[in-house]
Amino acid sequence: MTGKQTLLQNLPADLDIKRLPRHIAVIMDGNGRWAKRQGLPRIIGHHRGVDTLKNLLRCCRDWGIQALTAYAFSTENWGRPSEEVDFLLTLFERVLHQELQEMILENVRIQFVGNLLALPRSLQSEIQRAMEATALNQGIRFTVATNYGGRQEIIQACQAIAREVQSGRLQPEEITEALFADHLYTAGVCDPDLLIRTSGEMRLSNFLLWQMAYGELYVTETLWPDFDRQSLYQALVDYQHRERRFGRV
Ligand code: FPP
């Protein structure tokens, strides 16, 4: 184990510290199926999903991952039964309220991305409070995508850029990939190196469409509530066996 490796809490010795992803994104799928398999209501699956997310955030921090982004609620999720939508949004608000002190103590910087103005006002206030209270934290950067859609994110970036061109502040030739990325919700956060999706589905589901241009995908059959440290370790072992070429030979 290298000197730096011993500083990280229990990073498995066979993981190469120099080849860890800087940024991991997760599609937390399978809460409902997990609950069904146990004969429990879906909402219990979401409760367990929150515990899984908290544990994953801690594990990423312990192992030196700099950023974690979680897909909590997509623009398509409004199509679920209204009781489940209400339950999820209330759950986010309650968890944020309960966990804020802990996040401050643990030096987590939390931010939310998505169309936040369409969320209930009380949730918006809780989000604002959490983002402001952790804005100067230097530890892991934790992004929660809520009412997020990748296409919508790209369209709002186009609109913002178009307005700058229209006003004469920007020339069309000045639109570069970097400038475009600066107009996305995720401006300032590096692109994910690894996207983990649980419960077997092999698609992006409108998540981080621009940012995942060269990110590695890892899909596991494990349902989200069962995704633990060992599951993350397996994803990282798999990731470290990949050869990332970014379009080169
Ligand atoms: C997908 O499982 C899960 C969700 C739509 C919700 C995920 C949210 C959390 C785990 C809570 C996050 C909490 C905070 C505070 C950010 P599913 O319902 O689609 O499961 P299924 O595919 O088996 O039906």
Side-chain angles (χ1 to χ4, degrees), residues 26-93:
V26 278
I27 299 181
M28 310 179 284
D29 207 4
N31 292 346
R33 274 163 282 175
W34 180 90
K36 194 171 173 202
R37 281 184 198 172
Q38 326 275 323
L40 297 167
R42 289 175 60 83
I43 58 169
I44 303 294
H46 295 314
H47 270 297
R48 278 292 294 258
V50 171
D51 293 338
T52 300
L53 184 57
K54 285 197 286 193
N55 290 335
L56 178 69
L57 179 63
R58 272 205 190 102
C59 189
C60 285
R61 183 209 52 192
D62 290 349
W63 291 359
I65 310 293
Q66 293 167 27
L68 174 69
T69 296
Y71 203 4
F73 193 87
S74 72
T75 44
E76 290 72 34
N77 284 153
W78 294 107
R80 293 187 176 212
S82 61
E83 309 81 59
E84 184 166 339
V85 170
D86 290 347
F87 172 82
L88 279 171
L89 298 178
T90 309
L91 178 71
F92 297 166
E93 194 176 321

